[in-house]
Amino acid sequence: MWWFSFDFVGSVGGGAAVLLAQGQLLDANGVDYVLLALYFAFVLGIGWLARRAVSTSLDFFLSGRALPAWVTGLAFISANLGAIEIIGMSANGAEYGMPTMHYFWIGAVPAMLFLGVVMMPFYYGSKVRSVPEFMLRRFGKAAHLVNGISFALAQVLIAGVNLYLLASIVNALLGWPLWVSVLVAALIVLSYTALGGLSAAIYNEVLQFFVIVAALLPLTIVGLVKVGGVQGLVDKVTASKGGGEQLTAWPGAELTGFDNPILSVIGMIFGLGFVLSFGYWTTNFVEVQRAMASKSMSAAQRTPIIGAFPKMFIPFIVIIPGMIAAVIIPEMTNYKLTEQGPYDYNDAILLMMRDLLPNGILGIALAGLLASFMAGMAANLSSFNTVFTYDIWQSYIVKDKPDHYYLQMGRWVTVGATVAAVGTAFIASGYENLMDYLQQLFSFFNAPLFATFILGMFWKRMTAHAGWSGLVLGTASAITVYALSEAGVWDLPGQGASFVGAGVAFVVDVVVSVVVSFATKPKTDEQLVGLVWGLTPKEDLKASTTGEDAGWYRRPGLLAGIALILIIALNIIFG
């Protein structure tokens, strides 16, 4: 394994490797290590306890559809609040400032509310075990297989990002050899996910949510005190490279890559707010799986809506630290000014922790970073093993085996996915801003899938042939936009390539789907009941309001309305 250690050190970009080379490790003491040990003990204990409740494949992959809404709601948001989110969004905060808020207020919350109110009745009501299985029922085997393979590939790539981040963070902060930090953390995630399945992942995600907040909130408060409060931050950001535009969310020209403010707003709303956002939150099984584990239709609908409330306020403890780092950490201010040096934007949180946190608080911060890694990777693994086992292995490779066979297969698939993620970690090391990489992946995989879903859910004339052909050509068009941008044929700085690619993929998918649908034969109305909005009885789409689902505070529509009002207010206040 020494070859892995050597090669990975060479691949770690920015300050992680530099901190190690210069011996600038944070001085973690016994208290910090005790806190870390306690956290790991809790994580493994939850996995062991969850194992006792696993007797069928449905228990392993979907928690037996028995979890309450508050648990699945916190897990829903924690699964997304991985190391990618924390490191990537703080990097965006350091580079772009307040426009990064759009990833939450435009690029997340509206789509989460739409998922809860409109789409979960179809997912949960049809009793499918995965999003690709819904594709199978609506469009047939070809679209099912395309979606299953593309989703599995995306999860391995994203899990690799989490591994890369963990390796660089632990190596820089604690000085552990890279191969040790990767293997230890990967084995911990593998252990509780393989033992307890989705239930272990979900309950750990609830724990990890509170640990992450406990880590980031003190860092934000100490950072604001150090910079001179909110007004001090405003003054320093205004005087820095990028100026006052970093203090307002709109029009976000630096983020989109468009000089024209009108085009920037259109690109933001359509590319990020509609295609990328809805494509991710409404069709990504990593998130939808948490809602599918709920105990009732009402709980399933409330899952993403409950998650929307913390989601809209998380930017204040993720993006603000990045902005603070860009104006008070010397290495970061130098990089922002010159775009040269051993550090890059991904190091914003690391450098803040190095300079601002005392022992004890450091241990909590380290646990928070490890929690974010494990939450993200566990979500990738739990969704990957479900899709691979049900939608690829059981559907096309080994059929008609007893349920216990697929339960055991799911555990072995989890092991294989973990090994594969180690390999894909090297791909992530080539990006200075990991959110660039993530948004490119989403434009490839999620944008065309959303087009296929939304068209097929509301247009009964759409055919099975249109389902798979739209997906394939939509994905190909997004990849083409990316290739043209990389080759310099199309100048799309910032994350403009992913926004434009997502928009192009959506339009191409819709156009291809419409053309192919009129040239091929659709399913009958009877075959589409429960799969298409206009053909499904309205009573089948309504959640219960009695028993455990009684009370105005449990009504999905009302909760979604409150969240929507709050998100509009935030956009106005910080616009």
Side-chain angles (χ1 to χ4, degrees), residues 50-57 59-60 195-199 407 411:
R51 185 180 186 274
R52 299 180 180 181
V54 176
S55 59
T56 68
S57 65
D59 294 333
F60 185 79
L195 281 172
L198 183 61
S199 292
L407 170 60
R411 291 193 165 109

Side-chain angles (χ1 to χ4, degrees), residues 131-367:
V131 170
E133 189 172 324
F134 187 89
M135 292 286 285
L136 174 65
R137 296 191 185 183
R138 177 64 181 88
F139 297 113
K141 290 186 176 180
H144 174 237
L145 186 59
V146 169
N147 183 209
I149 292 174
S150 65
F151 177 83
L153 176 61
Q155 295 319 299
V156 170
L157 290 170
I158 296 171
V161 178
N162 278 302
L163 268 175
Y164 163 71
L165 286 171
L166 175 85
S168 60
I169 289 168
V170 174
N171 177 261
L173 298 183
L174 299 181
W176 295 358
L178 285 164
W179 67 271
V180 172
S181 64
V182 168
L183 290 181
V184 168
L187 283 173
I188 289 173
V189 177
L190 174 62
S191 297
Y192 74 73
T193 307
L195 281 172
L198 183 61
S199 292
I202 284 179
Y203 280 113
N204 266 309
E205 283 160 4
V206 173
L207 169 65
Q208 287 155 353
F209 172 81
F210 291 107
V211 173
I212 291 168
V213 172
L216 294 178
L217 186 58
L219 189 64
T220 306
I221 294 172
V222 173
L224 282 172
V225 171
K226 183 78 173 179
V227 81
V230 174
Q231 189 57 50
L233 178 61
V234 169
D235 294 339
K236 286 182 170 60
V237 169
T238 303
S240 70
K241 181 182 177 182
E245 290 185 2
Q246 300 171 85
L247 296 170
T248 58
W250 297 98
E254 287 294 321
L255 188 64
T256 62
F258 293 112
D259 293 330
N260 187 304
I262 296 176
L263 291 178
S264 180
V265 171
I266 293 173
M268 189 80 69
I269 293 175
F270 182 70
L272 175 63
F274 180 60
V275 180
L276 279 172
S277 171
F278 278 68
Y280 176 83
W281 291 101
T282 66
T283 64
N284 184 7
F285 186 55
V286 173
E287 305 299 333
V288 174
Q289 185 181 28
R290 273 83 195 135
M292 285 183 174
S294 302
K295 62 169 61 176
S296 67
M297 172 82 81
S298 175
Q301 287 191 269
R302 281 182 277 132
T303 292
I305 299 171
I306 289 172
F309 287 93
K311 183 69 174 179
M312 68 179 71
F313 295 108
I314 284 172
F316 295 105
I317 59 173
V318 175
I319 296 170
I320 298 300
M323 295 176 66
I324 294 171
V327 296
I328 68 168
I329 304 296
E331 296 92 338
M332 191 59 56
T333 57
N334 178 70
Y335 181 80
K336 184 161 185 174
L337 185 64
T338 65
E339 295 190 357
Q340 295 179 354
Y343 301 91
D344 60 41
Y345 294 118
N346 292 320
D347 298 312
I349 286 288
L350 291 177
L351 294 171
M352 287 278 284
M353 290 174 60
R354 184 198 68 182
D355 289 357
L356 301 183
L357 294 184
N359 292 113
I361 299 297
L362 172 61
I364 296 173
L366 291 175

Side-chain angles (χ1 to χ4, degrees), residues 425-448:
F426 292 97
I427 299 175
S429 66
Y431 283 78
E432 290 183 352
N433 187 328
L434 288 172
M435 285 310 299
D436 292 349
Y437 176 55
L438 265 295
Q439 293 305 319
Q440 288 294 347
L441 291 181
F442 295 152
S443 71
F444 295 166
F445 299 115
N446 293 95

Side-chain angles (χ1 to χ4, degrees), residues 466-488:
W468 70 263
S469 58
L471 274 179
V472 171
L473 292 177
T475 300
S477 66
I479 294 173
T480 300
V481 170
Y482 169 73
L484 291 174
S485 176
E486 288 293 296

Side-chain angles (χ1 to χ4, degrees), residues 509-526:
D509 190 304
V510 169
V511 171
V512 169
S513 297
V514 170
V515 171
V516 173
S517 289
F518 281 116
T520 52
K521 184 179 179 180
K523 291 183 176 181
T524 65
D525 288 359
E526 290 75 18

